[in-house]
């Protein structure tokens, strides 16, 4: 696995109702087919450290559709680490075959431990981590969603010199690692806008711990009811975006973010002449899993 990245390209988005605003997408989703977008950035320095300190096993946490679980499994397979995924929801144990994310991780050699939501909530407790070490032996621990100081450092490499021309840098927010890196490498004159994919007030505090500047803001109106919650309007938007722009968006993160940005542009949030750069953070492996759910409910699927 290469840990040096070429700059990913910025592509212009055709806006239906531009209001004097220009929007570009940084195609980080094209960094790697399986370790996609921001997950590769977040893993980079963690994997280098794990290699240097001679660990053989990576252990991390995630839910049923987690892009992070898929990324860690694939990265571990490529660079020769054992991988262990602690998965939220013990009901998933017998349903791996019906879940594209877990099937993919399994094919890449990941070993699972399924735990109840209650146990999962306490996953960072000393006692639980000790029990995992008794069960699996020594491991390099990567937190849920992959966010730690080394992950933020990796995300500080997303922007480059040319990107200084943008007035706004926008991205999806899950645990806040990606936006923290973007804030730290932005110019003070730029505004960094984060679009949380879930409800919760803790994010602002979490991000504050990692960042060195104050030129940022969370736009909390576009989570669609919570993490991995979607509706027909969002699916229609994602499908229209694919047809009109030729760019796929995922339903958990980038779909909601672009929906929000289109809505803000329409409502005149950005002054005329503003140049926006949105980071396409990847996550496309999640589409198949979401389509399984949509089909079950007889709802239109993501194309
Ligand atoms: C994980 C993920 C995010 C969220 O990144 P954080 O660093 O956890 O905020 C955003 N977009 C996609 C596609 C992701 O997979």
């Amino acid at each position: 696995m290469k840990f040096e990245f070429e700059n990913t390209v910025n592509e212009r988005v055709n806006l239906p109702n531009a209001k004097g605003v220009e929007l570009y997408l940084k195609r980080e989703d094209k960094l790697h087919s399986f370790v996609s977008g921001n997950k590769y950035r977040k893993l980079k320095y963690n994997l280098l450290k794990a290699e240097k300190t001679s660990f053989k096993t990576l252990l991390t946490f995630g839910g049923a559709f987690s892009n992070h679980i898929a990324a860690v499994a694939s990265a571990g397979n490529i660079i020769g680490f054992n991988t262990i995924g602690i998965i939220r929801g013990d009901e998933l144990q017998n349903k791996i075959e019906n879940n594209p994310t877990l099937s993919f991780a399994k094919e890449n050699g990941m070993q699972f431990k399924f735990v109840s939501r209650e146990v999962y909530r306490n996953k960072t407790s000393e006692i639980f981590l000790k029990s995992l070490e008794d069960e699996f032996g020594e491991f390099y621990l990567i937190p849920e969603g992959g966010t730690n100081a080394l992950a933020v450092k990796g995300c500080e490499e997303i922007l480059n010199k040319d990107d200084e021309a943008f007035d706004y840098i926008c991205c999806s927010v899950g645990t806040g690692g990606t936006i923290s890196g973007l804030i730290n490498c932005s110019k003070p004159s730029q505004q960094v806008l984060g679009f949380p994919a879930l409800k919760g007030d803790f994010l602002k505090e979490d991000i504050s711990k990692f960042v060195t500047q104050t030129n940022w803001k969370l736009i909390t109106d576009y989570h669609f009811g919570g993490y991995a919650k979607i509706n027909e309007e969002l699916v229609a938007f994602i499908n229209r975006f694919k047809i009109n722009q030729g760019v796929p968006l995922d339903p958990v993160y980038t779909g909601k973010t672009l929906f929000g940005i289109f809505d803000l542009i329409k409502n005149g949030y950005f002054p005329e002449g503003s140049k926006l750069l949105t980071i396409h953070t990847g996550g496309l492996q999640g589409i198949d899993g979401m389509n399984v759910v949509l089909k079950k409910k007889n709802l239109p699927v993501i194309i």
Side-chain angles (χ1 to χ4, degrees), residues 29 36-39 42 65-68 144-147 151-152 155 171-180 195 197-198 203 207 227 250 252-255 257 279-285:
D29 56 310
S36 129
N38 63 344
K39 297 303 182 280
K42 292 170 83 170
F65 302 107
S66 169
N67 298 323
H68 171 65
E144 180 181 41
T147 290
V152 172
C155 292
C171 74
S172 312
V173 177
T175 56
T178 305
I179 192 173
S180 296
F195 292 76
L198 66 169
L203 277 172
I207 294 166
Y227 185 74
D250 84 291
V252 178
Y253 294 103
T254 55
T257 297
I279 314 301
H280 192 319
T281 39
L284 301 174
Q285 69 84 32

Side-chain angles (χ1 to χ4, degrees), residues 19-32:
K19 303 249 177 143
V21 170
E22 283 179 35
L23 172 62
Y24 288 78
L25 260 188
K26 185 178 280 294
R27 296 296 304 275
E28 291 277 298
D29 56 310
K30 291 187 169 174
L31 268 184
H32 191 273

Side-chain angles (χ1 to χ4, degrees), residues 230-232 235 291 293-302:
I230 65 168
N231 62 23
E232 288 188 50
V235 172
N291 277 343
V293 176
L294 289 169
K295 258 185 218 147
K296 239 184 239 162
K297 294 184 180 166
N298 261 329
L299 292 170
V301 297
I302 299 163

Side-chain angles (χ1 to χ4, degrees), residues 259-297:
F259 185 102
I261 291 168
F262 271 44
D263 200 47
L264 291 177
I265 292 173
K266 193 178 77 193
N267 297 333
Y269 178 91
F270 301 102
E272 209 171 300
S274 298
K275 285 186 76 179
L276 280 58
L277 179 66
T278 297
I279 314 301
H280 192 319
T281 39
L284 301 174
Q285 69 84 32
I287 293 174
D288 289 346
M290 190 58 84
N291 277 343
V292 172
V293 176
L294 289 169
K295 258 185 218 147
K296 239 184 239 162
K297 294 184 180 166

Side-chain angles (χ1 to χ4, degrees), residues 11 54 69 107 239 246 282:
E11 292 175 355
S54 308
I69 286 289
E107 277 162 31
N239 288 343

